Amino acid sequence: MKFVNYVRNPIRDSPINTAFARVFLAFYFFWKTVWYDWRQLYDIPLVLYEGYAVLIPPSPTIMVAEKYLLLITLTAFAVGYRLRLSSLVSAVIVGHMGVVRYVYNTSGGTTALFIGMYMLVFFGLYRHRDRLSVDAIRSAGSGSPASLVDRLTGSVSDSFRADALRWSLLVVGIIYFGSGFAKVVNGPVAWVAPENLSRTLLLFDSFMPGSNPLAEPLLGYPVLVTLAAIGTLVLELGLLITLLAGVGVTTVVLGLYGFHVGIWLSLDIVFFDSIMFLGLFFSWDRVYAALASDRELTLVFDEHCLFCARSLLPFKLLDVNERITFHTQSTVPERYRELDDVDFENAMYVFDEDDRPYAGYHAFRELLRQSKLFAPLVFLTGLSPVSRVGTRVYRYIADNRSQHFACAFNQQNELES
């Protein structure tokens, strides 16, 4: 289990971590938004911060409309479509929702919205670094056709910068450091004194008896209470220090997870948002590589079709173990040309290690089968109704690609000549 210090080095050998974090962040805001009842919030008679009350719309209907607009923009953000716009609009709405909620509720679940808002901004600012997005696939067609074919048939030797994760991690480090620094400024000796934390443990255990299994045992051991307080300071201050020092952060992050579990068991306070944010910086690309198949595949595609080449680019980037060999129709090995019932002009083909051919829709399904991560999707696409529809959709696209789907390699070559 390893977490990445992106502040030290934001460069990875695949774009998977950035893509995963984008989808993960969108899911987080979905979870924070979809169930929230803004009409019920307006029934609360107490306003904690009058200064922010001016930002509250006069009707909860406006907040409900914002909620559904956010769900739409988050969907676009999750797939990486129009990231500059979708990330900015999502960040503005999240920020406004956070302010409105803060007027009534100052809990950590509310303030966490502002941390996530910064992350949305960073993904928008560094959208050009996100190579596994719809925007990246669309922009791949803006270069020369030959360069796109070369990217598919060559080796993936690029390095991928995760700048959005770099600055997001720095924000998380600053937040933790601020919490620890406030404890130091207010008196570190008093904070680590056993009676300080013991008083808090006793208070929570009195109000919620039975929900804090660690509270009573800790109260009997002042030394453990003191060590817990010292550990809190070390972990909260330590994340930012290790980030800036350029050393590994795995130990500190795992310590913070343990710290949050300890708070849950002793005070019954769950910092779910912090746990989610820390998970963004796990080395998910290593997990994906472990789930990737070692099966060798050979793929043959139409080099004259821009739509075909662009649609295959994500599979090239996801082939982290380089087990897929890409060939154009003009460079396909002879042994595949001699196979019966293979028509390269009619469909894209994937050949497995036994030279078994899979055409069109089924070829894409074999590409998905290269990673256990896509096992649910492979199962779904194998169901008879889905397979029949998918085969017809592929056939329609293949038959009409030169008319509707920007198969413009030949046209561009003619213009260049």
Side-chain angles (χ1 to χ4, degrees), residues 352-412:
D352 62 15
E353 295 169 320
D354 297 325
D355 289 348
R356 185 183 298 109
Y358 298 88
Y361 173 83
H362 300 285
F364 277 105
R365 188 164 178 266
E366 289 304 306
L367 293 175
L368 291 173
R369 200 191 291 274
Q370 282 298 94
S371 174
K372 295 182 180 68
L373 181 68
F374 300 120
L377 192 55
V378 172
F379 172 77
L380 179 65
T381 55
L383 297 177
S384 180
V386 179
S387 179
R388 285 200 300 270
V389 173
T391 301
R392 291 181 181 179
V393 169
Y394 179 89
R395 187 72 271 141
Y396 175 81
I397 293 175
D399 292 342
N400 297 275
R401 60 188 187 274
S402 61
Q403 183 177 359
H404 301 302
F405 296 100
C407 284
F409 276 16
N410 282 339
Q411 296 175 8
Q412 186 168 342

Side-chain angles (χ1 to χ4, degrees), residues 192-227:
V192 300
E195 60 269 17
N196 180 30
L197 184 55
S198 296
R199 190 180 303 111
T200 303
L201 290 170
L202 182 61
L203 179 64
F204 275 76
D205 192 49
S206 299
F207 279 107
M208 297 175 291
S211 59
N212 314 302
L214 284 184
E216 188 172 344
L218 282 173
L219 288 171
Y221 298 92
V223 175
L224 291 180
V225 175
T226 301
L227 291 176

